[in-house]
Amino acid sequence: MDGAQHNDPWDFWIDRGGTFTDVIGRRPDGSLVAHKLLSDNPEAYGDAAVQGIRDLLGVKPDELIPPSLIGRVKMGTTVATNALLERKGERTLLVTTKGFRDALKIGYQARPKIFARHIIKPEMLYERVVEVDERVHADGTVESEPDLAALRRELSAARADGIEAVAIVFMHAYRYPEHEQRVAALAREIGFPQVSVSHEISPLIKLVGRGDTTVVDAYLSPILRQYVGQVARDLSAKGANASIAAKGDAATPAPAAQGEEVPEWRRRLLRR
């Protein structure tokens, strides 16, 4: 191993783009070294991030990475953005307050081309909507409780159809989250791997902004988690045991972006 002169750990920062992956390594002495390689080169390596780390450490192809050589790995990636643009996110179910099934589709009625006569409606990220007959007023008064028995049947049907992600968005849940909490617990009990709840993801007053962010989280979190898990498994298979922190790029909100609403320019991208 030419690049690793002793067993003190390196730290790595990785930017994985659609074409190139850039890897910055910090040696044990604090000095930095950069490396660039193709993001996809299946004839040469399986994953660019893992290969970049191996290259900087000077690990030979037939050697495992000594676990003690890797400290922290932080990664920024366009994997989620690519999935968004190509509409290859997780199949998502929207669960919302009865009467508001079209609230996110209507949005803020922003029209970038105000004089256009041929309006092309955006494709929504969720494929199905379940309305829940629940309502909490703005002052916390409970008008109606969710019928969990009836909801169980609808959620079970969606899960049986192969939907794995749920976005739960109720009116005024940013302040009174009990109904969302009960429905989220039911969804997890039924077996949905991804349950995104608006009061946790983006506890803001506006339903549309809170809802959009929650749907994006449900739609893309499994993709990002799958990629990060793949990198972690690849590193582990090659001998390393590293903690990996990852987030999307500027166009894609990081999963569980607490308290951040999706800006209008991002919202137009999400609905293209």
Side-chain angles (χ1 to χ4, degrees):
M1 291 178 294
D2 300 329
Q5 299 178 355
H6 43 74
N7 291 328
D8 291 337
W10 288 51
D11 293 327
F12 295 93
W13 293 265
I14 302 170
D15 180 10
R16 187 190 187 284
T19 304
F20 293 105
T21 292
D22 295 285
V23 183
I24 304 295
R26 181 168 62 192
R27 298 186 179 98
D29 63 7
S31 60
L32 301 177
V33 58
H35 184 42
K36 182 187 288 286
L37 64 166
L38 290 171
S39 293
D40 291 303
N41 191 0
E43 295 180 356
Y45 43 79
D47 182 81
V50 176
Q51 186 62 38
I53 291 174
R54 292 179 62 87
D55 290 347
L56 289 182
L57 291 176
V59 178
K60 296 178 180 178
D62 57 344
E63 292 181 339
L64 295 177
I65 301 174
S68 61
L69 286 185
I70 299 182
R72 294 172 297 176
V73 178
K74 295 187 177 182
M75 180 182 301
T77 175
T78 61
V79 167
T81 298
N82 293 341
L84 174 66
L85 294 174
E86 298 171 5
R87 288 301 191 262
K88 293 183 178 179
E90 191 62 74
R91 295 178 63 193
T92 301
L93 171 71
L94 172 63
V95 179
T96 193
T97 302
K98 185 177 181 180
F100 292 87
R101 66 178 301 119
D102 294 320
L104 301 188
K105 183 178 293 187
I106 296 170
Y108 295 123
Q109 301 189 55
R111 292 183 290 174
K113 298 179 181 179
I114 193 169
F115 297 110
R117 293 187 295 174
H118 178 53
I119 305 298
I120 300 176
K121 293 184 178 181
E123 176 189 353
M124 305 308 294
L125 298 183
Y126 53 86
E127 69 173 68
R128 190 183 302 185
V129 182
V130 169
E131 291 184 290
V132 180
D133 190 7
E134 69 80 40
R135 190 63 186 270
V136 180
H137 293 179
D139 62 0
T141 302
V142 178
E143 179 177 310
S144 58
E145 300 276 355
D147 183 347
L148 296 183
L151 182 58
R152 177 184 291 273
R153 291 191 292 271
E154 295 191 80
L155 292 181
S156 296
R159 186 69 187 92
D161 287 342
I163 296 177
E164 297 197 345
V166 180
I168 302 171
V169 186
F170 290 160
M171 285 290 293
H172 305 303
Y174 72 96
R175 191 171 181 182
Y176 306 103
E178 182 181 349
H179 288 181
E180 283 195 349
Q181 291 168 346
R182 288 158 61 183
V183 172
L186 176 61
R188 294 186 178 104
E189 178 188 333
I190 289 172
F192 285 93
Q194 175 66 39
V195 180
S196 299
V197 194
S198 78
H199 75 271
E200 297 174 351
I201 301 302
S202 183
L204 300 175
I205 188 171
K206 294 181 180 180
L207 179 69
V208 173
R210 177 160 47 91
D212 278 344
T213 307
T214 305
V215 169
V216 170
D217 185 83
Y219 187 75
L220 295 180
S221 288
I223 305 301
L224 187 57
R225 186 167 55 246
Q226 180 181 1
Y227 175 69
V228 173
Q230 173 192 320
V231 173
R233 286 191 297 272
D234 286 351
L235 283 173
S236 178
K238 291 174 171 56
N241 183 18
S243 174
I244 301 175
K247 72 183 297 295
D249 69 3
T252 314
Q258 296 288 343
E260 296 182 5
E261 181 178 354
V262 181
E264 182 57 34
W265 69 269
R266 284 186 183 175
R267 190 171 293 109
R268 290 197 295 271
L269 174 63
L270 300 179
R271 296 179 174 183
R272 289 202 310 199

